[in-house]
Amino acid sequence: MRYKNSLKQLGLFSFFTLVIVITSCKKNTDGIGQNLLPGSDEVYVLNNDTTPLMVSTYAEDAAAFKTDRSQYDNILIGNYNDETFGLVACKAFIQLDKSLPPALPTFFVVDSVVLNLAYSGYSYGNSLPMSMKVQWLSHTLNLEQSYTASSTQSVLPENLIISGYETLRPPSNSDSIAQLASTDVRFLLKPEVGEHLLREAQLSALGGGFFVDAFKGMAISTDSPDGKVIGINLENTNTKLTVYYREFDQVNQTLKDQQRYDFLISDNCEAFTQIIHKRENSELAELSISEPISGAESAYVQAGAGSYVEVDISELDWLNEHPDATINSATLILPFKTSDYYPVPNLTVWRKNSSGGFVQITSEIPAKTNLGYYSVNLTAFTQAWLEGELDYSTVYLRADFELLQSFDYSYVNRIGLNGPQHSSDKSQNMRLSVTYTID
């Protein structure tokens, strides 16, 4: 194996010169892993954090990640772009339901149509103005179907927003979650949108059709090359499409006082987010599902079915040359690069089982944002691999959502991790710190 001779020397060298604590006469009873210490009266406790790691960045398979109606509290719209990860484009597909059986007049005139979307409190990106689009879907969404980050729907070409009102100015990065959650996004739609909706709602109420099938739904997106991804809370009652209209009095040829009708989200409605990653002209331009890139100097994790990192600890097998060695702790230290973008707040760690499927082995690992690193406890994994209980010596670092299940919370944060060869200053590099005892 590569590094074998040097690692043999390293193991012997560490026995005498690395961080060594010799406890004589009796065992240590208050250290890390005290229950793993061998039963000798003389125990050598050693530490090593120089074993080489093999690291790669992989693109996630967006088709494996659901983004469906379980995430009503955070449907994503908008784009953001950065030179490292490239463009992230989020398009929302939503249905609206009629709220109450309408008692519509035979003749009416629509004054205005407002699509009001309540912020969830999530925003990420560069706060640049975006030109938005609202379009009809050409096919009905299916409540029985599983929609993923790669799912899409065909749309009709017309932008339903009134010309001149397409610009969305996202919140600034200084706005708090509470501030965002108390504000709304508003789009002024064409009056004919309201006429169509009211007629279909009336027809449905009279038993002549099913509103959700007739309406089909809408797509909300932007073609702007940069801006911000924002979260929309569809469960908030402020998220609705409101039609303001007046009854037309044919006898007197006048319009009566204005009335309103709200179309809301309900359990009869589907919604999901399509997330597209375009890495052209970015540092990750060569990354794809089939083509990982080396993480020796830098590795990259991005939520929203973006990218994940593989870390191979197989060079640690030099410890097997010490038959009396027992691992007390194995900690993967992951320093990350500072940037204007808030890091992935939590990582999860996965391994592969004997059939090659992914198995999660940690709960959420929070970023130590004030210190600039994540710290992952791999003690049980490392010991099990060294003892031959596991077929794979690799772990996988992902943003904190559940693979092949719904996101707990949809988001698109990103983080650049320092690789194991990032710097001559070892404290700035990814490394596995192993404390072990030799009886």
Side-chain angles (χ1 to χ4, degrees):
M1 177 177 288
R2 191 159 56 98
Y3 303 116
K4 196 69 172 182
N5 291 333
S6 62
L7 286 173
K8 287 181 180 179
Q9 296 169 1
L10 178 60
L12 183 61
F13 179 73
S14 67
F15 187 89
F16 294 103
T17 63
L18 290 174
V19 181
I20 300 176
V21 179
I22 302 178
T23 61
S24 60
C25 300
K26 60 182 179 180
K27 293 188 290 183
N28 179 4
T29 60
D30 58 1
I32 296 175
Q34 61 185 23
N35 59 327
L36 300 177
L37 296 179
S40 169
D41 286 337
E42 189 171 270
V43 177
Y44 294 88
V45 182
L46 305 99
N47 176 268
N48 179 286
D49 60 2
T50 60
T51 295
L53 301 173
M54 277 73 77
V55 180
S56 299
T57 297
Y58 285 78
E60 295 279 15
D61 180 2
F65 296 88
K66 294 182 182 179
T67 65
D68 57 18
R69 60 199 299 271
S70 62
Q71 301 151 52
Y72 269 10
D73 60 343
N74 199 53
I75 296 292
L76 304 179
I77 61 173
N79 295 353
Y80 85 91
N81 203 343
D82 77 83
E83 61 183 14
T84 300
F85 286 79
L87 172 67
V88 179
C90 296
K91 178 185 290 189
F93 298 95
I94 64 173
Q95 290 174 319
L96 295 173
D97 201 2
K98 59 184 182 64
S99 54
L100 296 170
L104 290 175
T106 304
F107 302 99
F108 61 86
V109 174
V110 172
D111 287 339
S112 61
V113 182
V114 177
L115 177 61
N116 197 83
L117 305 174
Y119 277 116
S120 68
Y122 177 79
S123 69
Y124 199 80
N126 299 313
S127 297
L128 298 175
M130 297 181 291
S131 179
M132 304 299 294
K133 295 189 299 183
V134 177
Q135 298 165 284
W136 292 123
L137 299 185
S138 59
H139 294 86
T140 304
L141 299 178
N142 185 352
L143 287 174
E144 304 303 320
Q145 183 173 336
S146 178
Y147 293 100
T148 71
S150 64
S151 297
T152 187
Q153 292 286 308
S154 57
V155 299
L156 301 180
E158 181 186 9
N159 189 353
L160 304 180
I161 302 175
I162 293 177
S163 179
Y165 291 87
E166 303 95 341
T167 301
L168 170 63
R169 291 176 172 80
S172 70
N173 291 331
S174 62
D175 289 343
S176 67
I177 292 177
Q179 287 175 310
L180 287 178
S182 64
T183 57
D184 300 333
V185 178
R186 286 191 165 197
F187 298 116
L188 189 60
L189 305 186
K190 298 174 181 178
E192 53 264 34
V193 172
E195 294 171 5
H196 171 59
L197 290 173
L198 290 179
R199 291 300 184 196
E200 291 293 350
Q202 186 179 51
L203 182 63
S204 178
L206 295 174
F210 184 53
F211 177 79
V212 173
D213 285 338
F215 173 45
K216 295 184 175 61
M218 58 177 56
I220 306 171
S221 64
T222 179
D223 288 331
S224 295
D226 198 2
K228 180 167 277 190
V229 172
I230 60 175
I232 300 301
N233 185 353
L234 300 185
E235 294 182 333
N236 190 313
T237 55
N238 286 335
T239 295
K240 57 192 173 186
L241 188 151
T242 301
V243 181
Y244 297 91
Y245 67 96
R246 298 172 189 267
E247 181 180 356
F248 180 70
D249 185 340
Q250 283 192 303
V251 175
N252 298 312
Q253 295 291 296
T254 59
L255 292 173
K256 296 185 179 181
D257 291 342
Q258 188 180 76
Q259 301 180 63
R260 59 181 291 172
Y261 186 82
D262 294 331
F263 294 88
L264 307 175
I265 290 288
S266 77
D267 291 341
N268 295 323
C269 303
E270 181 61 274
F272 72 94
T273 303
Q274 178 197 30
I275 306 174
I276 299 174
H277 297 270
K278 296 182 179 180
R279 304 183 179 94
E280 299 87 352
N281 303 317
S282 72
E283 294 179 24
L284 302 185
E286 303 301 319
L287 180 65
S288 68
I289 294 175
S290 59
E291 294 293 335
I293 59 175
S294 171
E297 295 186 0
S298 299
Y300 304 95
V301 175
Q302 187 173 34
S307 59
Y308 66 97
V309 170
E310 177 191 75
V311 180
D312 186 349
I313 67 167
S314 60
E315 298 295 349
L316 193 64
D317 67 352
W318 60 265
L319 261 176
N320 284 326
E321 298 174 15
H322 301 285
D324 296 326
T326 300
I327 292 180
N328 293 355
S329 68
T331 304
L332 184 62
I333 309 297
L334 303 166
F336 56 78
K337 307 174 191 301
T338 58
S339 75
D340 293 334
Y341 300 101
Y342 189 79
V344 172
N346 301 285
L347 296 179
T348 54
V349 184
W350 305 70
R351 66 171 177 84
K352 285 188 175 181
N353 57 26
S354 57
S355 61
F358 287 104
V359 178
Q360 189 171 337
I361 62 175
T362 70
S363 56
E364 297 175 354
I365 307 299
K368 301 179 187 294
T369 51
N370 58 323
L371 300 176
Y373 69 92
Y374 304 85
S375 178
V376 181
N377 185 342
L378 291 183
T379 305
F381 171 84
T382 304
Q383 186 72 59
W385 174 71
L386 286 171
E387 293 177 354
E389 297 175 7
L390 300 176
D391 296 322
Y392 296 95
S393 59
T394 49
V395 295
Y396 300 87
L397 311 174
R398 285 189 158 94
D400 61 338
F401 50 75
E402 299 180 38
L403 185 66
L404 300 178
Q405 299 182 40
S406 298
F407 297 118
D408 289 330
Y409 189 81
S410 298
Y411 67 104
V412 290
N413 294 40
R414 34 80 91 212
I415 191 68
L417 303 173
N418 294 345
Q421 300 173 29
H422 173 76
S423 171
S424 58
D425 179 359
K426 184 178 67 175
S427 68
Q428 299 302 308
N429 294 343
M430 182 187 301
R431 59 198 183 277
L432 183 67
S433 177
V434 178
T435 300
Y436 60 100
T437 59
I438 295 180
D439 188 355

